[in-house]
Amino acid sequence: MWFGNRILSTTQLSKMSIVVAIVLALLTTNNGVEGQQGKIGSFEYMAMSCRSHSASLTDFGGVGDGRTSNTKAFQAAMNSLSRFSSSGGSLLFVPPGKWLTGSFSLISHFTLYLHKDAVLLASQNENDWPIIKQLPSYGKGKNGEIGRFRSLIYGTNLNDVIITGDMGTINGQGDIWWKKSKSLRYTRPCLIELVYSTNVQISRLNLLNSPSWNIHPVYSSNIIIQGLRIIAPINSPNTDGIDPDSCTNIKIEDCFIVSGDDCVSLKSGWDQYGIAFGMPTKQVIIRRLTCSSPQQAVITLGSEMSGGIEDVRVEDIVTTNTKSGVRIKTTVGRGGFVKDIYFRRMNMKYMRHVLLMTGDYSTHADHGYDHKAFPLVHNINYRDIVAQSVRMTAQLDGISGHPFTGMCFSNVTVSLSAIAEKVQWNCLDVSGVSSGVVPKACGLLSDQQKTTCYFPNDVLPIEKVVLKKCYV
Ligand SMILES: *[C@@H]1O[C@H](CO)[C@@H](O)[C@H](O)[C@H]1NC(C)=O
């Protein structure tokens, strides 16, 4: 282009290579400057706890060219920074750049901070993902797999761990995993998983194209998840947004999620494994969630709920283009419970079902499940719900002989799409009340004028955790 249409002579070409060499040399020098930029500037951020030490990924040999693996740099950073865990903790800064990495694990009293132009690129090489055991409350993978790939960012037995940034990006590059999802011997990895951890914050990040679930906190407590933008193709398999699993005291706030599976799914273990482990998910707040899930639901409870799910408060939800609104899934053999669940102020548009409950979601870990382990579903409350362009308002199926009880629906206004079903409420083996519901609820939900379904107004412990302004 520079030379127009001229045909270059050999001398010109060799002159050109000298020019190229000089340009390259200059670029290399510039790389040195880039290295300087890898240093941490000063910035402020909000966190559960601030840190007294900070370092940049480049201090540990990190290279942000999108090609060099940074798995070792991350692990070296953790090894080095762990020495500050008892003296104010540490922050690892990920500078602008594309940082290719395999799975790595975090440490306690630690903050991973992504600059707004930092992109963590997940390796597409299976060897960069260690295989770990299935969780004890599950026993097996969905298709009987005995092991699973460790998540990209992993932590176990941690206290005080923060993953945040200035809307930096974690790109799971999940397409290769989605393609081979059926042929894998181990369960696909999550993007972020924290197990047996407490005081966790995950905030202000872009999460893209996770191989499977985006965020999976398990057997953990005191968790704040805030200000995330989670995006995966709407046909990508199992790319759930946030799946708290046997967790206590958790707040999910101000998140935007578009994905191929549920935006948020609460879980607590599977059949006899989950019953034996016996750890519920409880004290959950989900608020100001914007969601689109054309294949699945805005919020799902279950189907793995064998340790129980209780005290869940959901409010101020906006959705468009979602298959279902709230979905409760369970089956005989699960045991456990789903109780004291509260929804209010949901505004939804373009959907198949607003409310779905099924007592026959029959996927089992194996044949060893207890055929007499009946789940309890009780005290489920929905109020101040508006949904537009809906095909069917509610399909509620309890379990014969073990009905779902204490359902409450008040001030629910559903307007139908042009292709709506004739029957809008289909109920079996459920009981409860309704009030101010349009279209009118089924006969099993007796119409009680002027009932307002309950929504708790006490304050959960996680609400008392105030983020501090921290400076680097
Ligand atoms: C019914 O719900 C709508 C939508 O949330 C709300 O604007 C309205 O105030 C509610 N009505 C009553 C009587 O609470």
Side-chain angles (χ1 to χ4, degrees), residues 200-212:
V200 173
Q201 174 187 338
I202 304 172
S203 60
R204 292 187 51 76
L205 295 168
N206 276 300
L207 307 185
L208 282 183
N209 300 338
S210 176
S212 180

Side-chain angles (χ1 to χ4, degrees), residues 10-321:
T10 323
T11 25
Q12 280 171 321
L13 275 176
S14 67
K15 274 186 200 157
M16 210 173 107
S17 33
I18 294 170
V19 173
V20 169
I22 293 168
V23 170
L24 280 179
L26 284 173
L27 282 178
T28 316
T29 323
N30 269 341
N31 272 344
V33 177
E34 294 260 288
Q36 291 297 313
Q37 286 168 351
K39 296 281 175 256
I40 313 171
S42 58
F43 57 90
E44 59 178 61
Y45 65 102
M46 303 298 290
M48 283 166 131
S49 39
C50 305
R51 309 301 183 196
S52 53
H53 299 83
S54 44
S56 168
L57 185 60
T58 53
D59 299 342
F60 303 93
V63 180
D65 62 1
R67 290 191 306 269
T68 310
S69 173
N70 289 283
T71 315
K72 287 206 171 99
F74 274 113
Q75 225 55 81
M78 303 306 153
N79 291 343
S80 166
L81 296 173
S82 60
R83 70 188 190 276
F84 299 120
S85 63
S86 54
S87 61
S90 57
L91 175 142
L92 180 66
F93 176 75
V94 182
K98 290 193 169 122
W99 310 88
L100 182 69
T101 182
S103 166
F104 60 93
S105 48
L106 304 178
I107 53 177
S108 289
H109 305 292
F110 174 78
T111 300
L112 180 67
Y113 184 97
L114 270 63
H115 181 276
K116 72 176 165 51
D117 298 319
V119 181
L120 288 196
L121 279 180
S123 163
Q124 294 193 313
N125 179 349
E126 265 183 39
N127 298 324
D128 291 332
W129 303 75
I131 309 293
I132 57 175
K133 282 193 200 145
Q134 293 291 351
L135 293 162
S137 57
Y138 284 76
K140 309 246 162 87
K142 257 204 171 113
N143 306 306
E145 312 92 294
I146 46 158
R148 55 203 198 103
F149 292 98
R150 198 175 73 177
S151 59
L152 182 70
I153 302 180
Y154 181 76
T156 183
N157 285 289
L158 301 182
N159 175 22
D160 179 17
V161 61
I162 298 172
I163 307 169
T164 189
D166 183 16
M167 298 311 292
T169 300
I170 303 173
N171 184 342
Q173 305 205 94
D175 51 333
I176 57 138
W177 298 96
W178 307 329
K179 277 184 209 132
K180 56 187 175 185
S181 63
K182 298 246 155 53
S183 61
L184 286 168
R185 288 184 56 213
Y186 305 104
T187 310
R188 271 177 288 146
C190 298
L191 215 49
I192 301 175
E193 183 178 82
L194 295 166
V195 191
Y196 298 114
S197 295
T198 187
N199 302 316
V200 173
Q201 174 187 338
I202 304 172
S203 60
R204 292 187 51 76
L205 295 168
N206 276 300
L207 307 185
L208 282 183
N209 300 338
S210 176
S212 180
W213 301 350
N214 279 271
I215 300 186
H216 189 208
V218 200
Y219 318 142
S220 294
S221 60
N222 304 348
I223 304 165
I224 294 181
I225 296 176
Q226 210 175 49
L228 299 182
R229 207 162 151 267
I230 300 180
I231 296 177
I234 55 172
N235 57 355
S236 55
N238 311 104
T239 46
D240 297 27
I242 305 167
D243 288 11
D245 198 341
S246 295
C247 288
T248 300
N249 202 30
I250 167 164
K251 180 169 83 165
I252 300 170
E253 230 175 40
D254 299 306
C255 291
F256 174 93
I257 305 175
V258 179
S259 83
D261 211 315
D262 303 325
C263 285
V264 176
S265 181
L266 305 180
K267 299 175 184 291
S268 64
W270 207 12
D271 289 354
Q272 69 274 28
Y273 303 101
I275 295 171
F277 201 79
M279 191 185 254
T281 283
K282 61 181 187 190
Q283 297 180 316
V284 181
I285 299 168
I286 303 170
R287 67 163 68 110
R288 296 187 301 267
L289 167 70
T290 304
C291 160
S292 177
S293 169
Q295 311 288 332
Q296 297 294 342
V298 179
I299 294 170
T300 293
L301 310 178
S303 79
E304 304 89 338
M305 38 62 72
S306 302
I309 299 175
E310 72 182 306
D311 195 353
V312 176
R313 306 152 183 215
V314 181
E315 61 189 356
D316 300 309
I317 308 296
V318 176
T319 80
T320 183
N321 238 316

Side-chain angles (χ1 to χ4, degrees), residues 345 384 386 411:
R345 299 194 299 258
D384 307 336
V386 176
N411 186 24

Side-chain angles (χ1 to χ4, degrees), residues 316 344-347 383-386 410-413 436 452:
D316 300 309
R344 71 175 170 191
R345 299 194 299 258
M346 298 182 75
N347 199 321
R383 83 177 202 215
D384 307 336
I385 312 278
V386 176
S410 70
N411 186 24
V412 175
T413 309
T452 299

Side-chain angles (χ1 to χ4, degrees), residues 333-454:
R334 285 290 193 278
F337 51 83
V338 177
K339 64 180 187 194
D340 308 333
I341 313 289
Y342 310 93
F343 296 90
R344 71 175 170 191
R345 299 194 299 258
M346 298 182 75
N347 199 321
M348 303 183 273
K349 209 170 193 172
Y350 307 120
M351 57 204 321
R352 194 183 173 93
H353 289 102
V354 181
L355 307 163
L356 262 185
M357 291 182 195
T358 176
D360 184 24
Y361 195 84
S362 48
T363 53
H364 295 287
D366 53 45
H367 295 300
Y369 71 92
D370 177 357
H371 294 249
K372 293 209 166 71
F374 296 101
L376 170 84
V377 179
H378 177 69
N379 192 24
I380 317 289
N381 301 271
Y382 304 87
R383 83 177 202 215
D384 307 336
I385 312 278
V386 176
Q388 288 168 276
S389 254
V390 169
R391 273 177 76 174
M392 184 167 180
T393 305
Q395 175 80 45
L396 311 178
D397 295 319
I399 296 171
S400 170
H402 299 268
F404 296 173
T405 57
M407 306 286 127
C408 183
F409 302 85
S410 70
N411 186 24
V412 175
T413 309
V414 174
S415 48
L416 305 181
S417 78
I419 50 162
E421 310 283 335
K422 279 212 182 73
V423 177
Q424 280 298 311
W425 284 76
N426 206 345
C427 311
L428 200 65
D429 303 307
V430 297
S431 68
V433 300
S434 62
S435 169
V437 172
V438 181
K440 195 170 158 29
C442 56
L444 293 177
L445 305 168
S446 61
D447 193 337
Q448 315 241 312
Q449 295 297 311
K450 300 204 178 113
T451 295
T452 299
C453 302
Y454 184 67

